[in-house]
Amino acid sequence: MVEKVITLDNVSLIDFLGVENHNIKEVAAAFPMSKIISRGNEIRIKGTTPEISRISDILDSLMEHYQKYGKITHENIQNYISHSGQPTNGSGIVPPVPPDDDEVLVYGTRGVVVRAKTDNQKRLVEAAEKHDLVFAVGPAGTGKTYTAVAIAVRALKNKEVKKIIITRPAVEAGENLGFLPGDLKEKIDPYLRPIYDALDDMIPAEKLKFYTENRIIEIAPLAYMRGRTLNNAFILLDEAQNTTSMQMKMFLTRMGPTSKAIITGDRSQIDLPNKQKSGLVESVEILKNIKGIAFVELDGRDVVRHRLVREIITAYDKAGQ
């Protein structure tokens, strides 16, 4: 008998292994002549060389399936087991799996399927596929940030970029960071909470931790972007209505030759002091005729929060507020 050790990296162990290692026990039951032991993030396989090869192929394919769909079911395991040992295309076992839904952006955590839900959200997705720089402007609740994060996560999973950089200006509702308790991270994190919430829906906790610790996903205030050139990255600027003219110009000139960027903002929620002109409003006007830049306008019809949010936005629009 020979032994092989497989290390599981960047996955949610409970989701991949199953409760009490149920998924691995299912695989082991199909190979009674071999021994499969799961401890921590390691799986040890003992058996004959042909069986170890088949088991390894099944686990590799399950890993690829998990990375794509974010979950593993009993049916998935049985499909991969039944197709093991059959001829493949050289990239692992290819059992019948759920067909791709062209509208799905990300198969997220806890069974969450992230897709564009409205016509304008779909336009945002199409614009990001065809353009390197996209402005998405609209009121609260229209899914600007959530959709933009999903587009970026999809690009990272598809290896179209090497990292995601998400930033926003630390200006909110007239509050001053200097008066908030804690160090800089503790002051900034509440402003970035919507970003973390979106990422939590789309990437397993262990993998997200790995990404952030290794700066594959970077979430930082806009001031941290100064002086950088951002290559091979998907860059998101959120709450862009609270950028000054100089901040917006600084951000726009950070893009490297292999980067893509989405800028989101809401003209009705400008919190800049002393009636400063919004960098978002100014840039949309200045850049509107540049080929290669797309502009997507979202409105009350795109609101995906509580039904009253749509009516509230409509009422404020009518009142000119």
Side-chain angles (χ1 to χ4, degrees):
M1 296 181 72
V2 295
E3 179 178 348
K4 180 175 181 178
V5 178
I6 296 175
T7 302
L8 304 175
D9 291 323
N10 312 326
V11 298
S12 167
L13 295 179
I14 185 65
D15 289 337
F16 183 77
L17 299 175
V19 177
E20 297 182 349
N21 293 337
H22 178 76
N23 294 343
I24 298 303
K25 289 176 181 177
E26 267 201 78
V27 176
F31 298 92
M33 302 302 293
S34 297
K35 192 171 185 180
I36 305 176
I37 303 170
S38 174
R39 288 180 181 167
N41 68 335
E42 286 189 349
I43 299 176
R44 292 182 177 273
I45 312 169
K46 294 181 180 180
T48 63
T49 299
E51 280 212 345
I52 285 182
S53 178
R54 288 182 65 194
I55 295 168
S56 180
D57 283 346
I58 290 168
L59 294 176
D60 287 345
S61 296
L62 283 170
M63 180 73 73
E64 289 183 16
H65 183 99
Y66 173 79
Q67 297 287 6
K68 182 170 185 179
Y69 297 102
K71 62 180 180 179
I72 295 174
T73 66
H74 166 75
E75 289 74 18
N76 300 148
I77 296 170
Q78 293 305 314
N79 277 336
Y80 284 109
I81 290 173
S82 64
H83 283 75
S84 67
Q86 295 184 13
T88 74
N89 61 2
S91 59
I93 303 165
V94 188
V97 296
D100 277 339
D101 183 339
D102 289 340
E103 294 187 352
V104 172
L105 294 172
V106 178
Y107 290 91
T109 59
R110 302 178 295 276
V112 172
V113 178
V114 182
R115 52 163 58 88
K117 295 181 178 179
T118 71
D119 289 342
N120 285 326
Q121 288 177 8
K122 292 174 183 177
R123 290 189 184 99
L124 174 54
V125 174
E126 292 170 1
E129 291 172 349
K130 297 176 182 177
H131 300 82
D132 289 338
L133 176 59
V134 180
F135 285 80
V137 182
T142 52
K144 305 181 301 295
T145 299
Y146 198 85
T147 304
V149 171
I151 293 168
V153 170
R154 181 181 66 171
L156 182 65
K157 285 190 172 183
N158 291 343
K159 296 182 172 55
E160 297 168 13
V161 295
K162 289 185 177 179
K163 57 186 175 182
I164 296 172
I165 298 171
I166 307 175
T167 184
R168 68 192 309 191
V171 177
E172 293 289 337
E175 297 175 14
N176 189 319
L177 287 176
F179 292 103
L180 297 177
D183 59 21
L184 181 60
K185 185 179 187 304
E186 291 170 326
K187 293 173 188 283
I188 292 297
D189 273 358
Y191 294 90
L192 302 173
R193 191 68 255 166
I195 305 297
Y196 288 112
D197 289 343
L199 289 170
D200 284 341
D201 277 354
M202 301 175 198
I203 302 174
E206 291 91 343
K207 192 167 188 178
L208 181 56
K209 182 180 179 182
F210 172 84
Y211 280 161
T212 53
E213 288 179 348
N214 290 273
R215 301 177 72 83
I216 296 171
I217 294 180
E218 182 180 349
I219 308 170
L222 182 58
Y224 285 25
M225 298 299 108
R226 190 173 298 277
R228 300 178 62 181
T229 300
L230 307 175
N231 286 318
N232 208 350
F234 210 117
I235 317 157
L236 305 182
L237 172 58
D238 192 38
E239 298 289 344
Q241 75 275 1
N242 286 327
T243 60
T244 64
S245 298
M246 290 301 295
Q247 285 175 326
M248 178 60 78
K249 182 178 179 182
M250 179 272 291
F251 174 81
L252 291 170
T253 54
R254 298 307 95 200
M255 290 180 65
T258 55
S259 292
K260 296 177 74 73
I262 298 178
I263 296 170
T264 66
D266 177 359
R267 295 188 187 92
S268 69
Q269 293 189 352
I270 297 173
D271 298 311
L272 292 170
N274 302 322
K275 296 185 179 180
Q276 279 184 289
K277 189 169 184 178
S278 166
L280 173 66
V281 174
E282 183 181 66
S283 62
V284 169
E285 182 63 27
I286 292 174
L287 305 176
K288 63 183 180 182
N289 295 320
I290 294 183
K291 188 176 180 180
I293 301 178
F295 300 87
V296 179
E297 291 278 348
L298 297 97
D299 55 39
R301 292 170 297 180
D302 301 297
V303 171
V304 291
R305 294 181 182 170
H306 194 286
R307 62 175 183 81
L308 287 176
V309 175
R310 181 179 301 178
E311 296 181 29
I312 290 169
I313 291 170
T314 301
Y316 269 91
D317 287 343
K318 288 180 179 179
Q321 299 293 322

